[in-house]
């Protein structure tokens, strides 16, 4: 599913979305962020993968916000190169959504709530790890809500 108003960001519904080559090609997905222990990576030679298999729940994601930022930067590199990124996890509602909320916070200057509301327009069950997003904001956004505030504080 595509996130409205974001030309380069998609998320997988359940983990099977990353296996559907026809759908990936149709949506012109060039990059996949995977936060699932069981999902396969590097399945398609025309897609770049970033895979994290040791981050299963909110506690681990909060502990490893550096990985969250790595995923955000991976999505941004896809956008800058003209590509399209998909973020997915097992159910497509927590880890993958947390990544996309963090991305929208950093690069679209949204609050976590605004970003989640936007995602919920196409994925009503979106339920990011709020504690991880709070830590991400503190560690990577100078405690602010997005890129604009970060730039003002530097």
């Amino acid at each position: 599913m595509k996130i409205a108003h974001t030309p380069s960001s998609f998320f997988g519904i359940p983990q099977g979305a990353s296996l559907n080559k026809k759908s990936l090609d149709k949506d012109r997905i060039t990059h996949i962020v995977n936060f699932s222990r069981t999902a396969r990576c590097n399945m398609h030679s025309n897609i770049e993968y970033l895979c994290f298999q040791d981050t299963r729940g909110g506690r681990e994601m909060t502990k490893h916000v550096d990985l969250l930022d790595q995923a955000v930067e991976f999505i941004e590199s896809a956008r800058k190169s003209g590509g399209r990124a998909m973020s997915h996890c097992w159910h497509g509602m927590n880890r993958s959504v947390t990544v996309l909320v963090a991305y929208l916070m950093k690069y679209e200057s949204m609050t976590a709530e605004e970003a989640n509301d936007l995602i919920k327009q196409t994925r009503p069950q979106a339920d990011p790890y709020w504690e991880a997003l709070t830590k991400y904001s503190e560690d990577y956004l100078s405690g602010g809500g997005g890129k604009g505030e970060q730039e003002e504080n530097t």
Side-chain angles (χ1 to χ4, degrees):
M1 292 185 163
K2 185 179 183 316
I3 299 175
H5 310 295
T6 57
S8 62
S9 298
F10 287 76
F11 57 93
I13 301 173
Q15 69 86 286
S18 69
L19 302 176
N20 186 335
K21 178 75 167 117
K22 188 175 182 179
S23 180
L24 294 171
D25 288 344
K26 177 181 158 263
D27 289 328
R28 300 185 323 270
I29 301 298
T30 59
H31 295 68
I32 293 178
V33 176
N34 172 357
F35 267 98
S36 174
R37 287 184 180 193
T38 57
R40 295 180 227 157
C41 286
N42 304 315
M43 295 224 12
H44 308 293
S45 61
N46 63 329
I47 295 177
E48 283 189 53
Y49 290 82
L50 181 63
C51 301
F52 302 105
Q53 296 184 330
D54 294 330
T55 308
R56 184 172 178 152
R59 191 173 304 145
E60 290 94 359
M61 194 165 257
T62 301
K63 186 177 175 182
H64 298 290
V65 291
D66 57 319
L67 300 179
L68 181 56
D69 191 59
Q70 190 177 344
V72 166
E73 293 305 320
F74 182 76
I75 293 170
E76 179 62 4
S77 73
R79 185 198 65 79
K80 284 182 175 178
S81 69
R84 290 180 150 191
M86 170 189 274
S87 174
H88 84 95
C89 59
W90 187 256
H91 294 288
M93 59 187 258
N94 302 117
R95 290 164 285 177
S96 61
V97 172
T98 302
V99 170
L100 295 176
V101 168
Y103 176 84
L104 292 169
M105 290 168 65
K106 188 169 188 176
Y107 286 103
E108 298 295 329
S109 301
M110 292 183 181
T111 66
E113 293 79 11
E114 290 168 337
N116 191 53
D117 288 347
L118 179 63
I119 293 167
K120 280 184 171 244
Q121 290 176 18
T122 53
R123 188 84 174 139
Q125 61 271 49
D127 187 21
Y129 293 129
W130 294 103
E131 189 174 329
L133 291 168
T134 298
K135 181 145 177 54
Y136 181 75
S137 180
E138 291 167 356
D139 291 0
Y140 289 90
L141 305 177
S142 301
K147 179 179 67 172
E149 190 167 324
Q150 179 184 18
E151 289 172 354
E152 290 175 17
N153 291 334
T154 56

